[in-house]
Amino acid sequence: MGKKSRVKTQKSGTGATAAVSPKEMMNLISELLQKCSSAAPSPGKEWEEYVQIRALVEKIRKKQKGMSVSFEGTREDFFSELMTWGAECGASCDGFEISNFADEGYGLKAARDIKAEELFLWIPRKMLMTVESAKNSVLGLLYSQDRILQAMGNVTLALHLLCERANPSSPWLPYIKTLPADYDTPLYFEEEEVRHLLATQAIQDVLSQYKNTARQYAYFYKVIHTHPNASKLPLKDAFTFDDYRWAVSSVMTRQNQIPTADGSRVTLALIPLWDMSNHTNGLITTGYNLEDDRCECVALKDYKEGEQIYIFYGTRSNAEFVIHNGFFFEDNAHDRVKIKLGVSKSERLYAMKAEVLARAGIPASSIFALHCSEPPISAQLLAFLRVFCMTEEELRDYLVGDHAINKIFTLGNTEIPVSWENEIKLWTFLETRAALLLKTYKTSSEEDRSMLEKPDLSLHSRIAIKLRLAEKEILERAVSCCRAKRLHFQKQLDEGTPLPLYEESDIALLENADAKLPIILRKLEEEDESVQEEMNLAQIKPDAACVDSSKTPVLNSQCKDLNGTQEDPPGGDAVVKESKVEKHDPSTKRTEGEPKDGGK
């Protein structure tokens, strides 16, 4: 996953362009922390705030030039050392080798023929960098005192990574030396490259990601230089913004959830060797074997000797891939755009609609998704729209009519419409909403395609424009589909076609739901805006789930139900059983190559 490392060769503390007094730097850091901790900007002012924060960060970066710790050479120089270390630790290293796959960057190449579902890769716990290993490291004392570290496993891993990188005797150096020197996440975009994302649905997350990273950096810079429990950290003389951005991106593109050694909960981990695998469509094939205490991966399909071995990162949209992984996946079967819908509390029928939705397990206001597939909506969104467009008589029928309780389960079934009029209304409404979303973009699809033909377009600009175009294409297909549906149901109404009769045997199974579960048992993708971690920076709560099996599937930063089914809200990633993984976790499986388009 990645391009060649562009590591600098200067050592820590050398090569700085100018001496900067500690007081001057601390003043700049304090200014940055204050700016990033101020009240959220008013709507429409987010870009202006981003530009201001970025200017402060660039000022700090300029004064820190040449101060970062780095290794001489390129990352590929250390691949053999990584493989040797893996073999010594008990990892499987005979079925693959690390190779450069042009546009996809580094990945795993089959060293022999491998059969589908064959266990070809396992990594023992001793090789993993985890929140638990951070607690037992030089970072442990600070961890025990700092609420931010305790709340945010991803931040703990980032600082753990930096501390081990600065430790010449760290057992993880063979791994750390092979990590990319930089990434293609939006944290590395130039301002003009980020500008291409304006009007996309990714822009708010991109701006928040930058702001949060800057705030975290400023906070921990002050902690490292003032907190007594930080005095022994090997970061005091060299903790630059570029260092922290690198560590955050390394974690964000690679972190995964695994069970703790006793299997009682989950923790975050970096998984050497395995995290070199590039992404393709398919199924999750990685799990954690508690009995043997190791991460295990089986082959997604048959691989011939010399072929690249892929894994599936999960059902991520391209916006999530760009934000958290730094690449755009051309053949993304799970791409989608978000659409926020809700029943107005001022509406006369609000109480009745909210009650029907509640019985179906759907909030009266939620974030849904329009998918790249056909049809573009999930069973849950269809159910919401049917209730949203119901008349008072129809609502009463689903509340107190014959078989009312059972009929709730048919709301997401395309074969059992509420009425032809209801179908016409809901598809008309959705067609209008999708068309309105299309009008928010400043460029047309044709203009984007023309821009992508320019040979001098930077990689990051190309990624951003591809994402922008993909969103428009999903919306355009949605408009076309909604129009066709509207005309179809209008024809049914005009021709007097009788409605399909409801039978109790029709109950329950929703044809669009991945796991074929009744809608009331499914979870919707929601942005719980009221749940914010300390400093609004937390992305994952690593202790949130219980694991009660000896083998726990790894979901590229999330966990999968132990029965092997994936609870996947429409438009969202899989969720941990009985816990909630923050939607904007700066991570999951990462990438680092070029266009696939990322960086392994």
Side-chain angles (χ1 to χ4, degrees):
M1 300 170 145
K3 48 186 175 277
K4 285 191 175 181
S5 172
R6 297 195 289 270
V7 183
K8 304 182 184 72
T9 57
Q10 68 259 30
K11 299 294 184 181
S12 172
T14 64
T17 55
V20 182
S21 72
K23 183 178 179 180
E24 180 185 3
M25 182 57 68
M26 189 61 77
N27 287 340
L28 284 172
I29 295 295
S30 297
E31 185 180 355
L32 178 63
L33 183 58
Q34 182 178 10
K35 181 65 180 175
C36 293
S37 302
S38 57
S42 56
K45 297 291 185 180
E46 295 90 351
W47 177 258
E48 182 181 330
E49 180 192 56
Y50 167 76
V51 171
Q52 293 170 357
I53 292 173
R54 188 180 180 102
L56 265 175
V57 167
E58 290 304 313
K59 194 172 182 179
I60 290 170
R61 290 185 66 226
K62 184 176 181 180
K63 292 183 179 297
Q64 292 175 337
K65 187 176 180 181
M67 295 175 64
S68 297
V69 172
S70 57
F71 303 108
E72 294 187 11
T74 56
R75 57 190 299 228
E76 56 264 42
D77 295 337
F78 303 105
F79 286 153
S80 60
E81 185 181 342
L82 173 64
M83 295 289 282
T84 300
W85 174 62
E88 291 172 349
C89 291
S92 59
C93 297
D94 61 341
F96 61 88
E97 58 189 49
I98 302 171
S99 185
N100 195 337
F101 292 94
D103 287 347
E104 292 179 83
Y106 290 104
L108 298 185
K109 182 172 73 175
R112 55 174 173 79
D113 289 355
I114 299 174
K115 294 294 185 182
E117 299 185 8
E118 176 185 341
L119 176 60
F120 74 96
L121 172 61
W122 57 86
I123 308 294
R125 184 180 295 272
K126 68 169 72 172
M127 290 180 65
L128 311 184
M129 295 189 73
T130 67
V131 173
E132 311 311 308
S133 65
K135 294 179 188 178
N136 296 321
S137 73
V138 68
L139 193 61
L141 191 58
L142 180 61
Y143 181 94
S144 67
Q145 297 290 318
D146 190 270
R147 290 185 301 162
I148 306 303
L149 290 177
Q150 293 167 10
M152 293 180 284
N154 54 316
V155 173
T156 299
L157 268 186
L159 290 178
H160 184 28
L161 184 61
L162 284 174
C163 288
E164 296 303 317
R165 185 181 72 163
N167 176 11
S169 60
S170 170
W172 290 288
L173 276 185
Y175 168 60
I176 296 172
K177 288 177 180 179
T178 62
L179 292 174
D182 50 30
Y183 292 87
D184 294 320
T185 62
L187 290 176
Y188 284 84
F189 282 24
E190 297 295 335
E191 185 177 315
E192 287 306 307
E193 294 169 335
V194 177
R195 194 179 290 274
H196 288 304
L197 292 171
L198 287 174
T200 69
Q201 295 198 346
I203 188 61
Q204 290 301 327
D205 288 344
V206 168
L207 301 186
S208 295
Q209 181 188 70
Y210 192 91
K211 179 179 180 178
N212 289 345
T213 301
R215 178 167 49 191
Q216 292 168 22
Y217 171 70
Y219 171 81
F220 282 106
Y221 184 96
K222 298 189 80 167
V223 166
I224 287 168
H225 286 82
T226 60
H227 199 293
N229 288 340
S231 60
K232 293 184 180 180
L233 296 183
L235 302 177
K236 200 162 187 176
D237 295 330
F239 181 57
T240 67
F241 178 84
D242 283 356
D243 287 333
Y244 190 67
R245 176 176 63 171
W246 170 83
V248 165
S249 292
S250 295
V251 170
M252 179 165 56
T253 57
R254 282 169 160 73
Q255 74 175 359
N256 280 266
Q257 285 187 333
I258 65 165
T260 52
D262 63 4
S264 65
R265 52 197 172 84
V266 294
T267 187
L268 295 183
L270 299 179
I271 308 174
L273 286 176
W274 174 82
D275 67 5
M276 292 298 301
S277 306
N278 282 312
H279 166 78
T280 192
N281 288 319
L283 300 171
I284 299 294
T285 56
T286 304
Y288 199 90
N289 186 328
L290 272 174
E291 184 177 345
D292 294 326
D293 204 19
R294 66 188 190 183
C295 179
E296 296 181 343
C297 183
V298 300
L300 189 61
K301 67 180 188 68
D302 288 345
Y303 291 106
K304 295 293 185 182
E305 181 180 351
E307 289 184 337
Q308 182 173 184
I309 301 170
Y310 291 97
I311 63 173
F312 176 59
Y313 291 6
T315 56
R316 295 200 147 231
S317 67
N318 267 319
E320 290 167 316
F321 277 138
V322 169
I323 295 165
H324 306 306
N325 303 102
F327 71 87
F328 179 92
F329 185 51
E330 297 283 357
D331 187 29
N332 190 353
H334 304 283
D335 207 8
R336 55 194 176 263
V337 297
K338 295 179 291 186
I339 179 170
K340 188 169 186 177
L341 300 172
V343 182
S344 172
K345 291 184 178 180
S346 62
E347 183 184 335
R348 182 177 66 86
L349 300 177
Y350 173 80
M352 295 179 73
K353 291 182 178 181
E355 176 61 23
V356 175
L357 289 169
R359 292 185 185 186
I362 305 175
S365 179
S366 186
I367 293 179
F368 299 89
L370 296 174
H371 296 261
C372 63
S373 55
E374 178 69 32
I377 67 173
S378 65
Q380 287 83 358
L381 179 50
L382 176 60
F384 174 88
L385 290 170
R386 281 176 167 172
V387 177
F388 183 81
C389 294
M390 279 183 183
T391 63
E392 184 172 358
E393 182 180 354
E394 289 167 343
L395 288 165
R396 187 174 291 110
D397 184 43
Y398 278 77
L399 287 171
V400 297
D402 292 341
H403 310 297
I405 294 176
N406 289 337
K407 286 176 71 174
I408 290 292
F409 290 94
T410 69
L411 284 169
N413 192 324
T414 58
E415 301 302 318
I416 309 176
V418 174
S419 66
W420 298 134
E421 291 87 353
N422 182 270
E423 292 293 312
I424 294 167
K425 281 197 289 185
L426 78 86
W427 290 110
T428 300
F429 170 79
L430 194 59
E431 178 185 356
T432 302
R433 285 300 297 269
L436 287 173
L437 285 174
L438 269 172
K439 291 181 179 180
T440 63
Y441 294 89
K442 306 301 180 185
T443 58
S444 66
S445 297
E446 292 72 23
E447 288 171 327
D448 286 348
R449 293 187 187 99
S450 178
M451 292 179 70
L452 289 171
E453 292 176 0
K454 296 180 179 179
D456 58 343
L457 195 65
S458 72
L459 171 62
H460 295 163
S461 292
R462 188 172 299 279
I463 290 173
I465 295 171
K466 281 183 176 182
L467 176 61
R468 190 171 72 194
L469 176 60
E471 288 187 0
K472 293 174 191 170
E473 289 175 341
I474 290 173
L475 290 171
E476 288 166 353
R477 284 194 293 270
V479 168
S480 177
C481 177
C482 291
R483 183 182 302 115
K485 294 280 189 184
R486 169 173 56 81
L487 294 174
H488 168 74
F489 289 112
Q490 184 66 56
K491 182 179 179 182
Q492 300 294 93
L493 179 64
D494 293 343
E495 294 179 353
T497 305
L499 281 171
L501 292 176
Y502 167 75
E503 301 286 347
E504 272 203 89
S505 59
D506 289 334
I507 253 181
L509 294 186
L510 305 178
E511 61 186 49
N512 292 339
D514 293 341
K516 300 289 185 183
L517 291 178
I519 195 167
I520 200 167
L521 300 182
R522 300 284 295 168
K523 293 184 180 181
L524 286 172
E525 174 190 11
E526 293 181 72
E527 283 190 348
D528 187 356
E529 298 173 355
S530 66
V531 179
Q532 294 285 338
E533 294 290 354
E534 191 111 25
M535 291 176 67
N536 292 325
L537 306 179
Q539 309 295 338
I540 279 185
K541 295 181 180 179
D543 297 335
C546 290
V547 180
D548 57 15
S549 169
S550 63
K551 291 190 178 182
T552 304
V554 173
L555 259 193
N556 305 326
S557 94
Q558 299 182 338
C559 278
K560 190 164 68 170
D561 276 345
L562 302 179
N563 62 5
T565 61
Q566 186 176 326
E567 272 212 327
D568 217 15
D573 289 323
V575 293
V576 176
K577 187 80 168 178
E578 296 181 350
S579 75
K580 186 165 184 175
V581 176
E582 287 292 331
K583 185 166 180 293
H584 303 306
D585 73 338
S587 86
T588 264
K589 191 105 189 20
R590 67 32 304 263
T591 95
E592 357 151 331
E594 316 240 78
K596 168 106 115 295
D597 276 347
K600 241 181 196 163

